[in-house]
Amino acid sequence: MVKVKALIFMGLLLGLIASAIAVIYFKYNARLMFIEIQKQEAALDQYEVEWGQLQLELTTLTEENQLEQVARDKLKLIVPQRDKIIYIKP
């Protein structure tokens, strides 16, 4: 009878220890995953900033191209040759 109680106690103790180790293991893994998520979110934020900058640059380049087209078509302006450009120093 005492042996049976001791075996039950040991089994429960081992189950408790295994459960505690499992909780620690899964908590540690959850923290690692949370850290990885934070890194990925920071990278996503950086990519969104870069995307916005690229869109702004594209808009600027498109506007410059439109301006150049209007200057050529409506105003009949041309880009001068390099040897025809005169630089004035202040």
Side-chain angles (χ1 to χ4, degrees):
M1 186 73 154
V2 174
K3 243 183 181 183
V4 174
K5 286 184 181 181
L7 286 175
I8 292 174
F9 178 74
M10 289 300 284
L12 290 174
L13 185 61
L14 286 175
L16 180 65
I17 292 171
S19 175
I21 291 172
V23 166
I24 293 169
Y25 173 77
F26 288 114
K27 185 74 169 178
Y28 177 73
N29 277 341
R31 286 183 180 161
L32 289 179
M33 283 189 266
F34 180 74
I35 290 169
E36 185 63 28
I37 288 170
Q38 294 292 348
K39 287 179 185 177
Q40 295 299 323
E41 285 179 350
L44 177 63
D45 290 342
Q46 182 60 36
Y47 289 135
E48 286 176 353
V49 168
E50 186 178 347
W51 175 253
Q53 291 172 343
L54 290 172
Q55 285 180 324
L56 182 62
E57 183 179 344
L58 180 64
T59 302
T60 303
L61 291 174
T62 303
E63 288 173 359
E64 288 177 6
N65 189 29
Q66 288 176 349
L67 180 63
E68 188 175 335
Q69 287 296 332
V70 169
R72 286 184 181 176
D73 297 340
K74 291 186 178 179
L75 301 175
K76 306 295 184 210
L77 297 177
I78 59 169
V79 177
Q81 297 175 355
R82 281 192 179 261
D83 59 341
K84 302 288 183 187
I85 298 175
I86 300 173
Y87 292 98
I88 301 174
K89 294 183 181 178

